[in-house]
Structure formats: structure tokens, C-alpha cells
Amino acid sequence: MNKYQVVGIGNAVVDVISPADDSFLDLMGIEKGIMTLIEKARGEMLYDAMKERVQAPGGSVANTLAGLGNLGLTTGFIGRVHDDALGRFYADEMAKGGTDFVNPPVQGGDLPTSRSMIFVSPDGERSMNTYLGISADLGPDDVSDEVAGAAALLFLEGYLYDKDKGKTAFEAAAKACKTGGGMAGISLSDPFCVDRHRDDFRRLVKDLDYVIGNEHEWESLYQTDLSSALEQAAREAGLVVCTRGGSDVVLVRGDEEATVPVTPVKVVDATGAGDQFAAGFLYGLATDQSLEVSGRMGCVAAQEVIGHYGARPEADLKALFRTAGLS
């Protein structure tokens, strides 16, 4: 029996969230709605400019694991933090959420724990400015075969490909998982991440068991329109998941296909929408649900998180699934 139902590997980032209007974004030179990697000095400047800061453990895959913990699955996270105040906060909060933070905070060295300054606009759009810090040093030495090899599902973060050591760690984890009989998959992370690593991601689509991306990421991956991109992905990947804005979600596995409509809701903060969609979808996959039910679970989890500040669920997701007739 697998020790973990889901193991994630990704950047361990403390999210620092603040409201901001478009004029503030323009003044600070922040590109709205995307994730931008920044250096330490700019990170300190943006942090000082934030008002009404809310601090929470973040990182795309770690947020997904928090959702899965909310749903009662056994989870572990392979990440890297410094033994500083933010790093200890991060590790403690992950443990409180029910996820094993398998690598202890690193002592010594100059790189601090990673953090992302997230500015939330009145329309709910989030603009992320991420200083990777020690997280960027995640490497194969941080990947234990006893952890990755004990996962029924392994979930990988595309952002790791921004560093060679992260790429190597990522591939070591996937190999260990598959050798142990588990399924390994990836989130494409964002269109700019796909642009940076298109050739690697095209190869990964063929090697992994499932791939999650939005319409812009799939179009970027294959450099064509969405319909053609999904047709090609369906031929190459084990399981393809595509979220299409606020309209629907398409899931394809071989000859099986499902389209799940998205119910419009008021967006308070879009931070974590994709991460929690992944949580709901992976819960469905882990519990042997159909593609349609798994997709609907993803949509319910995403709708919950965009209704409040922060990237992690506040409500009981299982209760929401029951209300939606999904369990």
C-alpha cells in the first residue's frame, strides 16, 4: 500500500498578499495577471510598498496539497526552505494542514526562504512577483526515493524547470514514482513557463501519465489554436486536462472525453484557482472517479478558493462535493 496518496514537488514559497488597484500596478511597473520572477532587492522594495499584508504558505503544488489535505488524503511535499523565520513558519503551516514537509529547513547559506508578493486587483486578478531564494536550489539530493516512490500520485510543478537542479529533481521524482507503480503528472504552470521550456514539456507530455494546463498554456505548448493543440495532446499524453477560462473544462483520456461547464461566481481573489482545481481533480483521480466527476470536483474546489483572499480552501471541500451531488 502506498504511504502517500499524493506527493507534490515544487517551490516552497511564502505568499504575501495585498490589495492593489491598476494605477498602483502601473506605478510599480508590475505586469497584471501573471507571475514574474524578481531579484531580492525588488522583492524587498515591493514588500515595503504593500498594505494590509496577509501572509500564508504558498507555491502552486503546495497549495494543491493543502486542498488535498482538506479532503482527507495523505500527502507529502518535497520542497526547500531556509531555517529562518519564514522557513519555519512555512514548514509548520504545512504540517498543521496535514502534509508531511519531508525535508527539514536548511541551516546555513545566504539564500533566504522564497516569497511571492501578490497584488490583488479589485476584479480579483492577481499579479505575482516571486523571489525564489533557496527554493531555486531544490535538487536531486532533496528527492528521497522512499517518498517519491511511495506515492500513488506524484504532482509536479512546471516552474521547477526554470533551474537545471530543479529539472533534475523533478525527473528523479517522476522516475521513482513510476518505478514504484504510481502515476506522475505535471501542471504546465503558465504560458511564459511553457515558452521557456517548450521542448522539454513536449517530451514530458509523452512520458507522464497526466498533464494539466489552461487554454493559453496548451496553445503555447503546440504553437497552434486550442482545438488542434488538444487533438495533438490527446494523441501524445495519457490524460489531458484543459481549463478554458470561465467557460468549461475539457478532459481527454484515449477515446474517453468529458466537458464540464464552469458555473460563474463572483471573484474576490483569483489566487490559487488553478491550484485548487488541480486538488479537486486529483482527488477524483485518486478515488477512481470518472473524468466528468473529477472535472466537476476540480471546478467546485476552484470556485471555493476564488470566493475569498488566499490560495487555500477555507470551507470543507467534501461537504461542498456532497452538496453538488459528487459523493
Side-chain angles (χ1 to χ4, degrees), residues 3-323:
K3 179 179 179 180
Y4 298 105
Q5 289 165 291
V6 184
V7 167
I9 176 170
N11 288 308
V13 183
V14 176
D15 286 341
V16 186
I17 305 168
S18 172
D21 57 24
D22 288 353
S23 62
F24 176 87
L25 299 182
D26 289 340
L27 177 66
M28 304 301 290
I30 297 170
E31 190 165 356
K32 184 177 179 178
I34 67 167
M35 193 285 288
T36 302
L37 294 176
I38 59 174
E39 297 301 321
K40 184 178 179 180
R42 179 161 172 80
E44 292 173 347
M45 183 270 288
L46 291 177
Y47 182 86
D48 289 340
M50 300 181 91
K51 298 178 180 179
E52 303 174 39
R53 291 187 294 251
V54 176
Q55 180 175 292
S60 178
V61 165
N63 290 336
T64 295
L65 292 175
L68 290 165
N70 178 290
L71 287 160
L73 297 193
T74 55
T75 57
F77 180 57
I78 299 170
R80 191 174 176 87
V81 298
H82 192 266
D83 189 20
D84 54 18
L86 280 182
R88 292 188 292 272
F89 163 79
Y90 192 98
D92 290 346
E93 288 298 308
M94 291 295 290
K96 287 178 184 177
T99 293
D100 286 348
F101 192 80
V102 301
N103 298 325
V106 178
Q107 296 183 351
D110 297 326
L111 293 174
T113 295
S114 310
R115 70 286 312 269
S116 182
M117 277 59 68
I118 302 173
F119 296 92
V120 183
S121 307
D123 60 3
E125 194 64 71
R126 81 275 191 271
S127 307
M128 304 170 67
N129 302 265
T130 303
Y131 168 61
L132 287 179
I134 198 171
S135 180
D137 274 355
L138 183 75
D141 290 344
D142 298 303
V143 176
S144 164
D145 286 353
E146 293 181 359
V147 175
L153 293 174
L154 181 72
F155 190 42
L156 307 162
E157 181 176 309
Y159 288 130
L160 284 179
Y161 264 67
D162 283 325
K163 296 287 185 178
D164 287 341
K165 288 176 66 175
K167 175 181 175 180
T168 305
F170 179 116
E171 295 181 350
K175 181 179 179 181
C177 173
K178 292 172 76 69
T179 298
M183 295 174 60
I186 185 176
S187 162
L188 294 177
S189 294
D190 75 32
F192 300 98
C193 184
V194 175
D195 288 342
R196 293 191 294 270
H197 309 293
R198 183 173 292 108
D199 291 342
D200 282 327
F201 285 175
R202 289 281 294 273
R203 174 178 56 81
L204 279 170
V205 165
K206 298 176 182 179
D207 292 341
L208 296 178
D209 298 295
Y210 61 92
V211 182
I212 303 173
N214 64 33
E215 56 193 312
H216 306 298
E217 291 156 3
W218 285 112
E219 288 173 342
S220 174
L221 185 65
Y222 291 105
Q223 297 178 288
T224 186
D225 64 273
L226 182 62
S227 178
S228 299
L230 291 181
E231 287 178 6
Q232 186 165 349
R235 292 193 297 267
E236 296 182 351
L239 170 54
V240 174
V241 182
C242 176
T243 57
R244 299 197 289 196
S247 60
D248 58 26
V249 179
V250 178
L251 306 96
V252 184
R253 178 170 54 198
D255 295 331
E256 184 183 3
E257 182 173 340
T259 301
V260 177
V262 172
T263 303
V265 296
K266 177 178 174 55
V267 178
V268 174
D269 175 10
T271 309
D275 304 337
Q276 295 313 318
F277 171 84
F281 164 74
L282 290 175
Y283 179 79
L285 195 61
T287 55
D288 298 319
Q289 306 297 324
S290 68
L291 289 188
E292 180 184 1
V293 170
S294 298
R296 289 178 62 195
M297 287 176 165
C299 290
V300 169
Q303 288 165 358
E304 189 281 337
V305 81
I306 64 177
H308 57 77
Y309 276 111
R312 301 186 172 196
E314 294 180 350
D316 181 337
L317 294 181
K318 273 191 178 179
L320 295 179
F321 289 171
R322 288 192 293 270
T323 300

